[in-house]
Amino acid sequence: METADREVLRTAVDWLRAGEPVYLATVAKTFGSSPRPPGSLAALRADGRFVGSVSGGCMEEDLVARLRSGRLPEKFPAVVTYGVTQEEAPRIGLPCGGKLELVLERLDSATSLKSILDKIDERQIMVRQLCLDTGEASLHPTTDREEFVYDGRNMQKLFGPDWRLLLIGAGQLSRFVAQ
């Protein structure tokens, strides 16, 4: 079974290789009630297609609308904030007074994303670090299992193989299931 992150990365690689401009949105911070946790990913195209989820659909559609109308930030990576203001509440509708901070990147090449996919296939764990000041993204091997870190200037997201099955116990049932 393919994880949500793998699906987003694989689809973004396919789109980039086909010459499509791609934007990667990552949930950086949530306040109050939010549909998706920090570290959640979505890839978007200007033609309205997206894969993954940062909100369950409403913010992805707003980002696509901003992209189509030229209302995205000029400098990337950029922080885009959604919250319950009088104008946003009926339009976006975050539940229970929630607020969401997204980091939006414009991707120009499939190389780094393909590298992440290759490492996952090799069952390696790595951290993708993004510096929001410079836009530099880099991959680093790690043994740490901290999923996501964001301090407003740097963002770190863990990528790697997911648990497939964890068996506890050395009895006959565990041995049978393991085989």
Side-chain angles (χ1 to χ4, degrees), residues 14-147:
D14 291 345
W15 289 344
L16 287 163
R17 286 183 173 166
E20 296 287 342
V22 176
Y23 295 83
L24 184 67
T26 306
V27 175
K29 270 188 186 174
T30 62
F31 306 90
S33 180
S34 174
R36 301 285 292 142
S40 298
L41 298 175
L44 307 110
R45 289 184 2 184
D47 65 2
R49 293 181 65 189
F50 63 87
V51 62
S53 176
V54 293
S55 73
C58 54
M59 280 157 225
E60 291 87 350
E61 290 174 10
D62 183 70
L63 285 170
V64 168
R66 288 183 187 202
L67 178 59
R68 285 181 169 166
S69 66
R71 292 183 296 125
L72 285 182
E74 292 182 21
K75 182 182 178 280
F76 290 95
V79 176
V80 179
T81 303
Y82 288 95
V84 177
T85 63
Q86 281 190 327
E87 73 177 40
E88 283 186 345
R91 188 171 57 91
I92 307 259
L94 276 175
C96 303
K99 183 177 171 188
L100 188 67
E101 223 172 80
L102 302 177
V103 171
L104 188 62
E105 302 172 65
R106 182 175 42 221
L107 303 176
D108 298 318
S109 167
T111 306
S112 68
L113 299 184
K114 178 68 173 113
S115 180
I116 294 170
L117 290 169
D118 291 343
K119 300 272 188 214
I120 292 171
D121 289 343
E122 295 166 6
R123 310 236 5 109
Q124 294 181 26
I125 300 170
M126 83 240 53
V127 168
R128 179 179 186 259
Q129 183 169 336
L130 175 68
C131 175
L132 273 67
D133 293 333
T134 65
E136 180 184 350
S138 55
L139 286 179
H140 306 278
T142 186
T143 55
D144 190 9
R145 294 296 292 191
E146 188 167 4
E147 296 270 332

